[in-house]
Amino acid sequence: KQEVTQIPAALSVPEGENLVLNCSFTDSAIYNLQWFRQDPGKGLTSLLLIQSSQREQTSGRLNASLDKSSGRSTLYIAASQPGDSATYLCAVRIIQGAQKLVFGQGTRLTINP
Amino acid sequence: GAGVSQTPSNKVTEKGKYVELRCDPISGHTALYWYRQSLGQGPEFLIYFQGTGAADDSGLPNDRFFAVRPEGSVSTLKIQRTERGDSAVYLCASSLGLAADTQYFGPGTRLTVL
């Protein structure tokens, strides 16, 4: 059974710092890995999607990497801003079991002005 | 264009009652997914539709939960004899239908069972 773990559960940093969020998964048989952002009381916003054949994806200040063989992904946020405060979730799309996403429990990020 | 919409945004009901939650996917998306998110946790898969048929319902917790998508667009998640443990945010997502595609999520329905 695929399990996804995110560390740390919560992170608080001052504005302007670069930071890394970690995601690990137990089964490397995945189609892709997706990073989402969730604001309090809101749905999920897709940030980056990395296919299993790719090593990284970039969008603005965000860079996500994927090491499928070791079961790890990182989300790098450069020059953090207070507006980046949210919960960040990673999810893997597994090969066995149709097309469902298996999510981690999320990292709650707070950027202090 | 319009994103995934869900109604109602909030639903409060009493234990034992029946509820229906609605999802309108992005136009043209053939795949539709339901997830359930408990407080402080990531979403958990419930059911996946490809067109009108449920391709995978392995995440439905028990037979009180049922979902339909009769015309391949709008979907309704139905919960019978609700229990307090059913309280959660129910999220709907849609995608073009291929495994490589991004899933786009709606805002969710917050269900509270008293």
Side-chain angles (χ1 to χ4, degrees):
Chain A
K1 178 186 173 185
Q2 177 73 268
E3 294 184 358
V4 179
T5 303
Q6 292 186 246
I7 295 173
L11 181 64
S12 181
V13 301
E15 180 179 3
E17 282 200 3
N18 303 324
L19 58 99
V20 174
L21 307 181
N22 296 292
C23 172
S24 61
F25 49 96
T26 56
D27 188 344
S28 62
I30 63 171
Y31 280 118
N32 53 47
L33 183 145
Q34 201 164 351
W35 281 93
F36 293 89
R37 169 187 173 133
Q38 186 172 34
D39 293 283
K42 306 286 186 179
L44 279 65
T45 300
S46 179
L47 297 173
L48 291 164
L49 182 148
I50 312 176
Q51 302 298 345
S52 62
S53 59
Q54 297 175 323
R55 296 299 299 263
E56 66 177 339
Q57 282 288 325
T58 298
S59 176
R61 295 183 293 109
L62 305 180
N63 176 276
S65 68
L66 174 63
D67 184 341
K68 200 173 70 163
S69 61
S70 68
R72 294 181 182 180
S73 176
T74 61
L75 179 67
Y76 174 83
I77 303 177
S80 58
Q81 303 171 358
D84 295 330
S85 298
T87 295
Y88 290 80
L89 294 152
C90 74
V92 296
R93 194 151 189 179
I94 63 175
I95 291 176
Q96 285 190 329
Q99 297 187 25
K100 66 183 179 184
L101 293 175
V102 179
F103 283 85
Q105 71 274 39
T107 294
R108 190 173 67 254
L109 176 65
T110 303
I111 307 299
N112 301 304
Chain B
V4 178
S5 63
Q6 293 186 245
T7 54
S9 56
N10 281 283
K11 177 69 177 179
V12 180
T13 191
E14 294 179 342
K15 180 175 179 293
K17 298 290 188 182
Y18 168 83
V19 297
E20 291 190 351
L21 312 179
R22 176 187 167 110
C23 172
D24 280 272
I26 294 173
S27 177
H29 281 192
T30 62
L32 185 146
Y33 314 79
W34 285 98
Y35 294 83
R36 179 168 72 173
Q37 186 175 25
S38 300
L39 191 63
Q41 301 296 315
E44 292 182 317
F45 171 80
L46 295 177
I47 187 169
Y48 153 59
F49 288 90
Q50 182 62 256
T52 60
D56 183 354
D57 64 358
S58 63
L60 295 178
N62 51 60
D63 61 6
R64 295 186 298 105
F65 288 74
F66 189 72
V68 296
R69 195 186 185 199
E71 297 178 357
S73 179
V74 171
S75 176
T76 304
L77 179 66
K78 308 180 180 191
I79 310 174
Q80 298 177 324
R81 304 183 304 280
T82 52
E83 300 177 357
R84 293 193 179 87
D86 299 334
S87 296
V89 176
Y90 290 80
L91 295 165
C92 176
S94 70
S95 74
L96 286 171
L98 299 177
D101 296 329
T102 298
Q103 292 188 17
Y104 296 91
F105 281 77
T109 293
R110 181 175 300 277
L111 175 66
T112 303
V113 182
L114 302 177

